[in-house]
Amino acid sequence: MTAGPAAGNKIRKLEYLLADAIARGAGTVITCGGFQSNHCRATAILARQLGMKPVLLLRTASQPAPAPVLGNAFLDWMVGAEIRPIRPEQYRDRMALMAALSGERERAGERVYVIPEGGSNGLGALGYVDAMREVREQLDAAKGALPDRFDAIVHACGSGGTAAGVALGCALFEVAEEVISMAVCDDRSYFEGAIDAIVRDAGVLLEAPTRHAGLRVVDAYKGPAYAVASPAQRAFILEVARCCGLVLDPVYTGKALFGLARLARKPTCVLFLHTGGLPGLLAQARDFGS
Ligand SMILES: *Cc1c(COP(=O)(O)O)cnc(C)c1O
């Protein structure tokens, strides 16, 4: 598989999920997300690379659905994903909708694999346990040129799978004391429950006790709405790009680093996870003005 256009944090979860799809003989992969979902785009591209047909349930309030001419939606269209627009109120029942569609296709003779929103389940989270093992190996190889461990790992949190894998891997490989998950939607109590459930499922698969690093969900920096950045957040994203060439996106990474910069109890030695999101930035280029 090539990472290029499928890059971002979802590729780590999909490494496990699509391997499972192949093992089960699936020819069709169904998943869901926002209209500009990075997860859906990565799934669609990788499914095609592996010879499977992608079907995407994309949440949109617009009627009719926007044309897939920008960012992630353009890439979905480019690889010929079947795009099914879903209204926000229907999207709440996304698991049932995907199960119904899967049943329909299976009755028509297809083998279907359903991936939950964001690829966030126990199996997908194992991709981020691996990421923490890789960080451990890099710290060890640096022999003192890098810290032995971090005070905290900071990342953007949208469906909880990354947080769950990072929290497990952090404890397992002693990478950091604390994981700070910057919510970009929902709120702290929602994510505490969701992440906990994914940690438990991943722990079963790991056949390890579900010890995890201290988890702090911060929901104060999610901005006006999911996928909508405030003028201050957009100004911050531009400032960071112009100061050091670090390109962040207005849906995830930009809000997470914006939050870290403003955090009251700031850890000193931090590893910030850049989780991707470039197509989402390009889809919003006009909002940045000049
Ligand atoms: C999906 C996504 C996240 C959040 O990861 P979850 O595991 O869904 O919480 C962060 N950053 C980017 C760019 C993403 O696409």
Side-chain angles (χ1 to χ4, degrees):
M1 290 199 271
T2 59
N9 67 336
K10 301 310 177 311
I11 199 166
R12 285 192 174 272
K13 308 181 201 183
L14 290 165
E15 184 180 349
Y16 280 88
L17 295 164
L18 292 176
D20 191 36
I22 291 170
R24 292 166 192 271
T28 298
V29 177
I30 299 178
T31 195
C32 67
F35 196 76
Q36 282 293 339
S37 163
N38 294 306
H39 161 69
C40 288
R41 174 257 310 165
T43 303
I45 293 170
L46 296 172
R48 280 295 188 216
Q49 287 183 13
L50 296 166
M52 293 182 279
K53 194 180 134 207
V55 180
L56 308 175
L57 276 59
L58 300 183
R59 183 185 61 233
T60 172
S62 324
Q63 289 283 359
V69 292
L70 282 176
N72 285 297
F74 172 71
L75 292 165
D76 298 341
W77 171 83
M78 208 177 161
V79 297
E82 180 182 334
I83 298 176
R84 300 173 69 99
I86 302 292
R87 287 195 308 278
E89 63 275 15
Q90 295 176 291
Y91 189 83
R92 284 189 214 108
D93 299 320
R94 54 194 173 271
M95 286 310 275
L97 282 177
M98 290 196 291
L101 183 60
S102 166
E104 216 174 273
R105 298 292 164 94
E106 296 231 321
R107 283 190 293 279
E110 290 173 53
R111 254 315 156 79
V112 180
Y113 191 82
V114 175
I115 296 178
E117 181 184 63
S120 287
N121 59 15
L123 186 61
L126 297 186
Y128 265 91
V129 176
D130 287 343
M132 294 304 105
R133 182 191 299 113
E134 290 164 27
V135 171
R136 178 76 268 155
E137 286 165 5
Q138 289 177 28
L139 293 180
D140 291 345
K143 293 192 186 57
L146 288 173
D148 178 53
R149 71 171 71 182
F150 298 98
D151 297 334
I153 295 202
V154 178
H155 73 99
C157 179
S159 63
T162 301
V166 168
L168 274 168
C170 255
L172 220 47
F173 304 109
E174 303 184 324
V175 168
E177 305 296 328
E178 190 183 28
V179 178
I180 302 178
S181 301
M182 296 288 184
V184 301
C185 53
D186 299 292
D187 61 15
R188 199 180 86 188
S189 78
Y190 168 78
F191 277 122
E192 284 172 351
I195 295 167
D196 232 49
I198 302 168
V199 163
R200 274 198 307 275
D201 289 351
V204 172
L205 297 169
L206 280 173
E207 294 175 0
T210 54
R211 194 165 58 92
H212 64 73
L215 185 71
R216 179 159 37 133
V217 178
V218 176
D219 61 8
Y221 304 103
K222 56 186 185 177
Y226 172 71
V228 182
S230 66
Q233 288 172 327
R234 281 197 293 270
F236 175 82
I237 289 169
L238 282 181
E239 188 188 329
V240 170
R242 286 166 187 186
C243 117
C244 38
L246 178 63
V247 175
L248 304 167
D249 76 286
V251 186
Y252 294 99
T253 55
K255 289 180 177 178
L257 195 65
F258 179 86
L260 174 61
R262 278 154 187 78
L263 210 55
R265 286 182 291 132
K266 227 194 297 288
T268 24
C269 183
V270 176
L271 176 63
F272 179 79
L273 289 185
H274 193 308
T275 42
L278 182 60
L281 167 69
L282 299 179
Q284 292 194 22
R286 266 183 313 195
D287 300 336
F288 281 78
S290 57

